[in-house]
Amino acid sequence: MLHPITFSIPKEKICSGDTVKTKMVSNLIPGDMKTYIYNTEEEYYNEYKTSYFAITKKKAGWDCMRHYEIIANGCIPYFIDIEKCPKYTMFLLPKELLMEGNALYNKLKNKHVNELTEEEKKEYGILQQKLMDYTRAHLTTKKMAEYILQKTQFTGVSNILYLSGDTSPDYLRCVTLHGFKELMGNKCHDYPKVPHIYKSNINYSQLYGKGITYTKLLDPSLHNDALDATILENIKNKYYDIVIYGSYHRGMPHYDLICQIYKPNEIILLCGEDIHNCNYNTFLKKGHSMFVREI
């Protein structure tokens, strides 16, 4: 009942792939703060759209939102040391394709964009398309929500309670919640409401990562405010078919009550932390399904 999971990206963030390249390698270097010059999502995405390749790597954790943003904008990642990534970490990413990207980067990196042959452009285009097709097929937020339901054998549920302790930005919790909203609308109820994934007047630029990719995605109607007032009653009456803790490290509200009402396998725990000390056995022995990003 222990499963790997990764970040994911909203399908609307994936471009057509028909981009005009003006540079071989993106100027944005992970870890080099001097290169973090982009203040808006449009500027940031355009940096990747106009680059053939973009460098990415393991930081605190192997799985980074940057990997998905690079691919979604029609750029191929050069992933430093990807061959060292543990088998079940980034398990859902196309590691073989990413290694092909590294090989192509090493072949072309010393060329100017105007020096590329038609054969080289074709080779690049084929790999670029494979990466984008894979992302659409497996790595959108909706696909990740479907993956969780398939692994736990709850594909036929009608109502989901998606609980948070701390509602401040957490990539895995936020993008996976977006996926469940895409899949089920307000039949997936987030409590407390995760405000920044909805369209509102929040100053998103002050959020982690300047709010890029994971904020202001959903119409406010996708949160049923009336259900907030009856949360305890609805738990006791088992109004929801399953309960998901979007980040169990960051709080598990009403856990004791939920354990009294719900079967152990109807409680699902997500861990999106870079560095953690998950006591898998404690929760697995209780019969909960767990999805862990950095295994």
Side-chain angles (χ1 to χ4, degrees):
M1 299 179 76
L2 175 63
H3 306 284
I5 194 170
T6 65
F7 291 151
S8 53
I9 193 162
K11 65 181 180 181
E12 62 266 33
K13 302 295 183 180
I14 303 175
C15 74
S16 66
D18 185 19
T19 57
V20 178
K21 307 294 187 184
T22 60
K23 64 183 80 171
M24 190 58 69
V25 185
S26 168
N27 295 329
L28 205 165
I29 309 298
D32 184 351
M33 300 307 296
K34 297 190 301 295
T35 70
Y36 288 30
I37 60 174
Y38 308 100
N39 293 314
T40 68
E41 185 173 278
E42 182 179 6
E43 292 173 352
Y44 173 63
Y45 282 2
N46 192 57
E47 171 62 20
Y48 292 141
K49 286 177 181 177
T50 57
S51 304
Y52 275 96
F53 298 94
I55 296 171
T56 193
K57 64 178 183 178
K58 176 183 183 291
K59 294 184 73 178
W62 281 96
D63 192 29
C64 297
M65 189 60 73
R66 183 188 309 106
H67 313 331
Y68 307 82
E69 293 163 341
I70 290 170
I71 296 170
N73 285 288
C75 186
I76 292 179
Y78 171 64
F79 200 126
I80 297 171
D81 291 334
I82 188 174
E83 64 279 358
K84 298 179 182 178
C85 182
K87 179 178 179 180
Y88 293 106
T89 301
M90 297 201 312
F91 185 73
L92 302 177
L93 272 74
K95 292 180 183 175
E96 292 297 326
L97 290 179
L98 293 172
M99 290 179 189
E100 287 184 33
N102 283 6
L104 187 58
Y105 169 84
N106 286 321
K107 176 181 175 181
L108 302 179
K109 64 181 179 181
N110 293 322
K111 287 197 168 190
H112 187 272
V113 291
N114 295 329
E115 298 173 334
L116 293 178
T117 66
E118 290 304 313
E119 187 64 27
E120 289 167 338
K121 290 178 182 178
K122 181 179 179 181
E123 183 179 6
Y124 179 92
I126 290 171
L127 182 56
Q128 176 200 48
Q129 194 62 53
K130 285 181 179 178
L131 284 164
M132 296 187 76
D133 288 347
Y134 184 95
T135 300
R136 289 191 183 95
H138 302 286
L139 299 177
T140 65
T141 59
K142 184 178 179 181
K143 290 295 182 181
M144 201 59 62
E146 291 173 346
Y147 165 77
I148 291 172
L149 295 180
Q150 289 164 0
K151 286 295 183 181
T152 55
Q153 300 181 22
F154 284 118
T155 53
V157 294
S158 299
N159 291 285
I160 292 175
L161 179 59
Y162 199 96
L163 289 174
S164 299
D166 179 359
T167 60
S168 60
D170 173 80
Y171 279 152
L172 185 75
R173 190 273 314 280
C174 294
V175 294
T176 308
L177 173 57
H178 175 265
F180 278 107
K181 291 290 187 178
E182 283 273 284
L183 186 64
M184 301 185 66
N186 62 14
K187 294 297 183 180
C188 172
H189 184 63
D190 50 315
Y191 181 85
K193 181 179 180 180
V194 181
H196 50 267
I197 70 167
Y198 297 92
K199 297 172 184 176
S200 71
N201 295 322
I202 294 172
N203 185 358
Y204 297 98
S205 66
Q206 299 301 309
L207 296 175
Y208 182 78
K210 299 181 180 179
I212 291 172
T213 301
Y214 71 98
T215 64
K216 53 186 175 184
L217 297 168
L218 300 172
D219 189 277
S221 65
L222 290 177
H223 184 275
N224 185 342
D225 295 339
L227 291 177
D228 290 349
T230 58
I231 185 67
L232 292 178
E233 178 184 345
N234 290 337
I235 290 172
K236 291 174 182 177
N237 292 331
K238 207 174 182 182
Y239 174 80
Y240 302 99
D241 300 306
I242 59 173
V243 177
I244 299 175
Y245 284 100
S247 174
Y248 86 90
H249 284 282
R250 302 188 182 205
M252 297 176 67
H254 309 306
Y255 177 71
D256 290 341
L257 173 62
I258 286 166
C259 285
Q260 294 174 26
I261 306 298
Y262 287 82
K263 297 176 183 178
N265 70 311
E266 295 170 339
I267 303 169
I268 299 167
L269 312 181
L270 309 186
C271 169
E273 301 299 303
D274 288 328
I275 301 170
H276 57 89
N277 185 24
C278 285
N279 189 349
Y280 303 138
N281 289 333
T282 297
F283 291 105
L284 293 173
K285 286 177 180 177
K286 289 184 177 183
H288 304 327
S289 291
M290 298 183 64
F291 291 81
V292 180
R293 172 175 155 255
E294 296 285 325
I295 294 182

